[in-house]
Amino acid sequence: MAYFAVENVTKSFGSTRVLKGVDFSMEKGEVLSIIGSSGSGKTTLLRGINFLTLPDTGRFYLEDACFFNAVKDKRLPEREIRKKRLHFGLVFQSFNLFPQYSVLDNLCLAPRCLAQDKSKSAQEETRSRAMDLLNRVGLADKAGNYPCELSGGQQQRVAIARALMLSPKVLCFDEPTSALDPELTGEVLRVLKDLAAERITMIIVTHEMKFAREVSDKVIFMADGVVAEEGDPERLFTDPQTPRLKAFLANTR
Amino acid sequence: MSEFFASLAALWEKVAQQFPTVFQALNSGFLQTLKLFIVTLLGALPLGLVISFGSMARFAPLKAVTRFVVWVVRGSPLMIQLLIVYYFPGLVLKQNWWGSGEEGRFLAAAIAFIFNYACYFSEIYRSGIQAVPVGQQEAGQVLGMTGPQIFFRVKLLQMIKHIVPPMANEIITLVKDTSLARIIALQEVIWAGQAFMKGKSGIAGEIWPLFFTAVYYLLFSGLLTLLFNKLEKKLSYFR
Ligand SMILES: Nc1ncnc2c1ncn2[C@@H]1O[C@H](COP(=O)(O)OP(=O)(O)OP(=O)(O)O)[C@@H](O)[C@H]1O
Ligand SMILES: [Mg+2]
């Protein structure tokens, strides 16, 4: 009885097979971290889950109901894909805030585009939800600023709040601190810890091993397009079973 | 020395006396210049967008042909293109497309200018469109926005910001390039200035009206520069 599961996800770009059959599952409120060396397919997997690049094969399950089958749903119209996409959120390595909108408008833009109800009170509600979320990431005082006026860490916190606006069932992060100066990673990781404490279901691709160990309920080690090892973080980091994970951990220390 | 000042004073007196007549003739010449400028923009701004789509087409032959045409038009002088458009029908096809009057010359000039400038604009559009990072598109997608919403609410203003500065340069160049239409005897401001060398309205052998036409170009391009600077400033609140 898993909350979210993927089964046999494969993806090739031309003749290179990037994902060779990925399976994993997670419970509601869990934090799943994905680690693995560069090129192992972590980003491709997250992009698949968010329907940015559709997998060649594979099924996605939410609460044990299959809601996407890559083979069957290959030709699904964009409108249907968009609906499915809304189950998930994705925070990018490079933030990708909308530069011409203020922080507040970055949060409000998509909800307002999606809303059926365009009334003033609905708009006001979106706004107050946005302010709540900005408070949660500690940036309420930057609501009127533009992204270019913020530090990288602040931009990433805004991007996280923006993703939370749509209350995704599973929120994914692709190396959320990799583009940041070392002294700015702390503030972003702190926000992620707060979200974990609030039982937001998250998948985090990260190179921050210490963080992954502290915050995750489960860790997946990807190598060469497959899940090479998975399990409880303490076990995985202290007692790796496969030679590849041993080598990987030895290299990251 | 005093001789020099005396001749300067004489020149000044003559110019002051001839000025009203010349001013009127130059104004109507400049009206034609302005008309060519505006018609070129009205035609080339949308046509350039169409050509830029062609040059980014997924259908390879269309892309190749478009890029080749753009290369030819941008790589050869506008003056030659003007001459070809104006003389080709009559001299080669033995067809009198343009008639014999000012209207026909204007039509030929407008077609050459529109096509030439559309090719330049297409490259500006293309670089503006391609300058918006794919991350913007993807961020909109994962937030569930539709294609049109992403284009109009997220990408368009960023494209415009990229397009405005090079477009401003090109448009200011167009102000001065309109003078090339003189080569097919379009009666624009330079033609009007030159008329006073041969003789017109009782003034002959005078070159100062021709020199004076530069003032028109200066004022007009100066005005446009101010406007574009304002626009760029308006768009400078984000990066
Ligand atoms: N659009 C694409 N076209 C072709 N090859 C691609 C594409 N996207 C990814 N790849 C290839 O797929 C492989 C896996 O890439 P991916 O970005 O998923 O790895 P990653 O695990 O996220 O690596 P990193 O830790 O460096 O971010 C790489 O070899 C990459 O070159
Ligand atoms: Mg990656």
Side-chain angles (χ1 to χ4, degrees), chain A residues 13 18 37-44 175 207:
Chain A
F13 293 107
V18 175
S37 52
S38 182
S40 55
K42 307 179 298 293
T43 296
T44 307
E175 304 193 28
H207 287 296

